[in-house]
Amino acid sequence: MNIKQIESTLQDAFSEPLKSGEQHKIVFWVDKDLYVVGQALTGMLGVYKLENQVVSGTGKFDKAGIGSNREVKESLDTEFRYFTANSKSVSSSISTKTKDYLMHLTDLQGIGLTAQVAIAELIGLCSGALEKPVQEGLVIVGNMTVGGTISKVEELANILQVCVDAGAKKILLPAPSAGDFYTVPSDLIVKVQPIFYLDPIDAVYKALGVS
């Protein structure tokens, strides 16, 4: 799938009628749903939906929509281990023992799944647990390792083009990507506000707009 096709899909998502309580962005809150623009395991950029639900339970993390894909499963397991170990650093009100966390990943173009979902799902779980949406018009980009290490994203200019054409106003990026902005056309840079995060917890704070 090329950039124009992805842009068209995102634009359709922005223009379709909203259901009660929904607000469409690219990687963002949609009644506990996230839309992710990331690189598929096939190498192509794709659009994915992460649906999240937080219910009473015993601390389980149920994943659907990923089949037997090892890389995607490992990315989500990495994120949830980080979430259980560090959720109190976000808010003391988050419980990982009395709640179950349910998610479903949908490949919207059928190009194959992406493993670049850890940061987005971490933000989604915290957003759901706190019942607090991310900032309006915000796009979240990036991934992390089991230890919480972040790295710069690939194809930054292409990702920003998709985001801008879909109507995004802000983009949350890993700080190492700041050095790649020279690759982004100036007409793109002036259309979106970059917000850089230093680590996964910083990403959650900035996505939710809290200090």
Side-chain angles (χ1 to χ4, degrees):
M1 174 161 292
N2 60 35
I3 294 297
K4 289 299 182 183
Q5 289 172 311
I6 295 173
E7 290 168 3
S8 177
T9 299
L10 287 171
Q11 196 64 55
D12 288 344
F14 270 79
S15 61
E16 69 183 19
L18 298 179
K19 298 177 182 178
S20 177
E22 289 189 339
Q23 185 177 12
H24 291 282
K25 311 177 188 65
I26 298 177
V27 181
F28 52 124
W29 171 276
V30 183
D31 195 19
K32 301 185 179 68
D33 294 352
L34 301 173
Y35 285 87
V36 180
V37 173
Q39 189 176 46
L41 300 177
T42 59
M44 296 184 289
L45 285 176
V47 185
Y48 307 85
K49 181 169 71 171
L50 281 168
E51 301 171 81
N52 292 277
Q53 187 176 12
V54 182
V55 299
S56 296
T58 58
K60 293 187 298 182
F61 182 41
D62 290 336
K63 305 177 289 294
I66 65 172
S68 59
N69 193 295
R70 180 180 58 83
E71 291 184 53
V72 180
K73 181 179 183 298
E74 288 179 354
S75 180
L76 290 167
D77 286 343
T78 291
E79 168 274 323
F80 194 69
R81 285 195 295 271
Y82 189 91
F83 174 70
T84 55
N86 297 277
S87 60
K88 296 301 182 184
S89 297
V90 176
S91 173
S92 60
S93 67
I94 296 178
S95 172
T96 57
K97 295 181 179 180
T98 63
K99 301 290 184 181
D100 283 349
Y101 295 84
L102 319 175
M103 64 78 58
H104 186 277
L105 177 63
T106 303
D107 172 8
L108 297 180
Q109 281 85 36
I111 65 170
L113 297 177
T114 180
Q116 298 174 351
V117 292
I119 288 289
E121 180 61 9
L122 174 66
I123 292 169
L125 291 181
C126 292
S127 177
L130 297 172
E131 298 185 356
K132 184 175 179 60
V134 301
Q135 295 188 55
E136 184 176 357
L138 179 71
V139 176
I140 304 160
V141 177
N143 212 10
M144 68 179 182
T145 66
V146 65
T149 301
I150 61 172
S151 58
K152 68 180 182 179
V153 299
E154 302 297 330
E155 298 188 53
L156 180 61
N158 287 341
I159 289 174
L160 260 66
Q161 183 69 66
V162 171
C163 297
V164 168
D165 289 348
K169 301 302 181 185
K170 303 174 184 177
I171 181 167
L172 189 66
L173 288 162
S177 293
D180 286 346
F181 260 75
Y182 73 92
T183 66
V184 180
S186 58
D187 61 329
L188 279 181
I189 294 176
V190 299
K191 293 177 181 178
V192 65
Q193 176 189 347
I195 304 173
F196 297 104
Y197 60 88
L198 298 173
D199 55 55
I201 299 298
D202 190 39
V204 172
Y205 286 153
K206 289 176 177 174
L208 301 184
V210 298
S211 57

